[in-house]
Amino acid sequence: MDLQPSLDFVYQSLPHHVLFGAGKLAEVKSQVERVGSRRAMVLSTPGQEELARRVAGLLGEWCVAIHPHAIQHVPYETVKAAMKDVHQHNVDLLVAVGGGSTVGLAKGVALETKLPILAIPTTYAGSEMTHIWGISKDGHKTTGRDSVVKPACVIYDPELIVSLPPAMSLTSGVNAMAHAVEALYAQNQSPIASMMAEESIRQLALGLPRVVAQPGDVEARATSMYGAWLAACVLDMVGMALHHKLCHTLGGSFGMPHAETHTVILPYAIAYNASSIGNALSRMARALGCEPMQVASTVQELSRQNGGPTSLRELGFEEKNLQRASELAAQKSYPNPRPVVQEDILFLLQQAWSGALPQQA
Ligand code: NAD
């Protein structure tokens, strides 16, 4: 097995402060103090308003507003509405409690106001560790990178993710694993990112089946949250490739659900690239405890055995759209270990649509 990392790299990391552990939410007020804020606004989705109120309670008089209106894909109107509350209450810190959608809303506001963010993630999506933002306007999602949106502080408390239903936990966790997988063969990979990525895959593969079997197991939640944190770190450090491009196309142009789509596509993206990623494949195999030739099928089995989706068909994707999706995904050039050829992408998507066993070349 080729396990030696490439020793030709650039490494850069933006400053951040992370607290990790069961019960760490209790330290939110001291972290707000450390950031130097006295007028925080807590953001959440409508479904997580109760948790937002709990956080506001912990902050006491240092919380001046609660904004429980985050929704998927960060529509620009929701950023404008949150900005109105920011100005009305003279807010000096955004406390985002929730998944990628809530952190995404806080990032949208930070982009306009330069306010700092304290993030308290409750899914495995990973937005809290990145300086990547995304805002939807006129039916189109624009994304970019700006250090101003990277949360200044992140509190990972595995007790807060216990309520995430098993099915969502699995797909959210495989979504995280996809960041780590693509980091291992990123064009700008570094040995540090690869080390974290390999460990991320190991921890997620270990934690997720236990989480699905026992959603209330805080230790298993911590294992998978640790894996997700590592994945989020590498997502911020290096560029993603074919897998993320395909999921972005399927989500952006066909309205496919984010984490579920990642879960279905990942084994096929690995299979597509397998012949061009010897070192990365060996490291994935070591993390998963399988042979390199079995990595794609092992990732698919992780989903299948834990009740996750394995085909685009079961997610409601229409077969007639496969051709168009392959054209869109192949349209723009982007770095990928194996050249992105439209006919080959169509074959990949046909396989993913039917849920066939992913064939590594
Ligand atoms: P989400 O934030 O949309 O949450 C999905 C649903 O789960 C929401 O209704 C939420 O209220 C609920 N929920 C969240 N945590 C819960 C919990 N612990 N218990 C019960 N319910 C809970 O989903 P997500 O997968 O976290 O985020 C997906 C979005 O994040 C996508 O739009 C994606 O593009 C974005 N994202 C961005 C980055 C980045 O770096 N910018 C990285 C990853 C994902």
Side-chain angles (χ1 to χ4, degrees):
M1 275 201 211
D2 168 19
L3 291 162
Q4 179 63 15
S6 159
L7 297 179
D8 180 351
F9 61 91
V10 174
Y11 173 74
Q12 192 192 0
S13 171
L14 293 167
H16 55 266
H17 186 88
V18 173
L19 272 79
F20 192 108
K24 281 283 188 288
L25 179 64
E27 294 183 33
V28 64
K29 192 166 183 180
S30 66
Q31 293 311 305
V32 167
E33 185 172 22
R34 203 184 52 78
V35 175
S37 151
R38 290 295 179 274
R39 301 190 63 80
M41 178 165 93
V42 181
L43 300 99
S44 74
T45 58
Q48 290 189 292
E49 183 172 352
E50 200 180 311
L51 180 59
R53 294 204 173 278
R54 194 173 139 208
V55 173
L58 290 168
L59 295 181
E61 72 281 8
W62 292 359
C63 175
V64 294
I66 298 174
H67 187 87
H69 306 299
I71 55 173
Q72 261 199 41
H73 303 308
V74 196
Y76 184 59
E77 299 69 47
T78 65
V79 177
K80 278 203 301 195
M83 298 249 295
K84 208 170 151 207
D85 275 3
V86 162
H87 292 131
Q88 188 179 340
H89 298 282
N90 196 17
V91 166
D92 66 4
L93 173 71
L94 306 163
V95 177
V97 190
S101 297
T102 303
V103 176
L105 176 60
K107 285 178 165 181
V109 176
L111 198 59
E112 304 260 351
T113 60
K114 312 242 180 304
L115 283 178
I117 300 173
L118 188 162
I120 308 173
T122 63
T123 72
Y124 302 119
S127 178
E128 66 282 352
M129 289 308 300
T130 79
H131 65 299
I132 306 164
W133 56 267
I135 295 175
S136 305
K137 211 173 180 180
D138 306 326
H140 182 75
K141 192 164 180 175
T142 309
T143 61
R145 289 175 184 252
D146 193 320
S147 57
V148 76
V149 307
K150 180 153 177 169
C153 178
V154 183
I155 300 178
Y156 285 98
D157 186 337
E159 287 178 0
L160 300 181
I161 201 168
V162 160
S163 54
L164 195 68
M168 281 174 76
S169 300
L170 190 269
T171 54
S172 185
V174 179
N175 178 192
M177 188 181 281
H179 309 329
V181 162
E182 294 231 289
L184 281 170
Y185 53 70
Q187 198 187 38
N188 55 346
Q189 63 179 281
S190 77
I192 303 290
S194 296
M195 215 160 56
M196 294 170 88
E198 184 182 330
E199 188 58 12
S200 164
I201 295 169
R202 183 174 294 113
Q203 297 290 333
L204 285 164
L206 190 69
L208 291 175
R210 289 168 53 206
V211 158
V212 172
Q214 275 198 300
D217 182 342
V218 176
E219 212 176 288
R221 289 288 185 179
T223 302
S224 37
M225 200 172 219
Y226 174 54
W229 171 61
L230 293 169
C233 291
V234 298
L235 174 64
D236 195 42
M237 286 180 200
V238 300
M240 297 287 109
L242 174 70
H243 170 80
H244 280 75
K245 177 69 184 175
L246 282 175
C247 294
H248 192 84
T249 303
L250 294 170
S253 304
F254 301 94
M256 295 295 285
H258 180 81
E260 289 88 341
T261 303
H262 273 269
T263 305
V264 169
I265 294 294
L266 186 60
Y268 299 100
I270 294 170
Y272 185 93
N273 282 327
S275 59
S276 314
I277 54 168
N279 178 272
L281 202 63
S282 297
R283 297 189 74 153
M284 288 176 215
R286 183 163 65 177
L288 294 165
C290 66
E291 291 300 316
M293 284 309 288
Q294 297 166 336
V295 169
S297 56
T298 302
V299 170
Q300 190 177 55
E301 273 310 294
L302 175 71
S303 177
R304 193 192 311 281
Q305 286 176 8
N306 291 289
T310 51
S311 70
L312 290 177
R313 177 170 40 190
E314 74 191 272
L315 298 182
F317 192 84
E318 291 188 62
E319 192 175 12
K320 66 175 168 47
N321 287 331
L322 289 172
Q323 175 73 27
R324 177 85 188 117
S326 69
E327 287 164 6
L328 287 171
Q331 230 166 42
K332 273 195 202 152
S333 74
Y334 49 92
N336 189 63
R338 176 178 158 192
V340 176
V341 178
Q342 188 256 323
E343 294 78 40
D344 297 343
I345 297 300
L346 178 59
F347 179 71
L348 180 165
L349 287 173
Q350 282 165 339
Q351 297 266 298
W353 185 79
S354 64
L357 189 70
Q359 302 285 346
Q360 288 185 201

